[in-house]
Amino acid sequence: MAFPPIILASQSPRRKEILQLSGLSFSTVSIETPEHLDPAESIESNVRRIAEEKAKAAIQSFQNDTRDAVLLGADTVVAIDGRILGKPANAAEALEMLLQLQGRTHEVHTGFALLQRAHLYSECATTEVTLNKMTEEEILHYINTAAPFDKAGSYGIQDPVMACFVCSITGCYYNVMGLPLSRVWMALQKLRS
């Protein structure tokens, strides 16, 4: 049985790259949602809810074209000591975040949601990442590449400079990039059965 059309509710180049690994054809739409983090909710609940909001916004915006499609929304955050590190607004924020991560283990949480007609499925994947210590000079060199500015926690595991400092990861590598592909694949399989 073939997969239904898939619409990725994201313009993230990393999410598109990861979903392409599945070999499935899909299209993308850019969705603007508030991505509001509710302090009364757990981190996992927050990212699941935001992913669901993105999928629902996509289906509302493109209702005529998405009757049988599966809408895929996702949201990724980095957390250390129970505190969420978002995308840095500037170099000073990027430096502050990266200094916090040095020589320590942090978590990357990605919520994803699949919405097809009235059926909504969502979950959260968590990966632990440990970074080796970087000197301030090495951190500033990385910041000067401008790579940190569109990434939660101010880093991308796949970025050439940062790749040299990833000591270990427990969980899905692709989750750290922004989409836990194996979990999404399993959820898609359930949808079509």
Side-chain angles (χ1 to χ4, degrees):
M1 186 193 314
F3 277 97
I6 297 170
I7 300 173
L8 176 62
S10 174
Q11 286 299 310
S12 162
R14 290 166 297 279
R15 287 197 181 110
K16 290 193 311 196
E17 178 186 334
I18 295 166
L19 194 53
Q20 284 171 343
L21 295 173
S22 71
L24 299 173
S25 40
F26 64 93
S27 55
T28 61
V29 293
S30 181
I31 298 299
E32 294 296 323
T33 56
E35 297 189 20
H36 170 73
L37 294 167
D38 183 346
E41 291 182 47
S42 68
I43 294 171
E44 295 86 353
S45 294
N46 268 294
V47 293
R48 283 180 65 180
R49 177 184 44 77
I50 292 169
E52 291 171 5
E53 289 169 357
K54 289 178 180 180
K56 288 174 183 175
I59 209 161
Q60 288 172 359
S61 299
F62 300 94
Q63 223 161 12
N64 295 335
D65 302 329
T66 61
R67 186 176 29 223
D68 296 318
V70 176
L71 281 293
L72 170 58
D75 187 59
T76 302
V77 298
V78 169
I80 190 162
D81 300 328
R83 204 174 114 240
I84 293 173
L85 303 180
K87 296 176 184 175
N90 52 46
E93 275 189 18
L95 177 62
E96 180 186 334
M97 287 183 202
L98 289 166
L99 285 170
Q100 289 179 61
L101 300 176
Q102 298 311 299
R104 300 187 60 204
T105 300
H106 61 275
E107 299 84 36
V108 180
H109 305 277
T110 299
F112 72 89
L114 299 174
L115 178 61
Q116 185 181 38
R117 296 182 185 159
H119 181 74
L120 175 65
Y121 174 84
S122 66
E123 68 175 272
C124 174
T126 299
T127 302
E128 291 184 346
V129 181
T130 304
L131 297 180
N132 285 331
K133 287 190 176 182
M134 301 168 72
T135 65
E136 190 165 328
E137 183 181 356
E138 289 166 332
I139 294 172
L140 291 172
H141 170 69
Y142 177 60
I143 291 170
N144 287 334
T145 68
F149 297 112
D150 67 338
K151 298 178 178 86
S154 300
Y155 83 94
I157 195 168
Q158 73 283 357
D159 292 342
V161 173
M162 284 305 294
C164 298
F165 296 96
V166 177
C167 175
S168 69
I169 94 168
T170 304
C172 177
Y173 172 83
Y174 295 109
N175 183 53
V176 184
M177 285 180 64
L179 193 67
L181 185 59
S182 63
R183 303 272 283 272
V184 171
W185 179 262
M186 290 186 337
L188 285 167
Q189 295 287 349
K190 288 178 189 172
L191 262 186
R192 74 175 187 160
S193 59

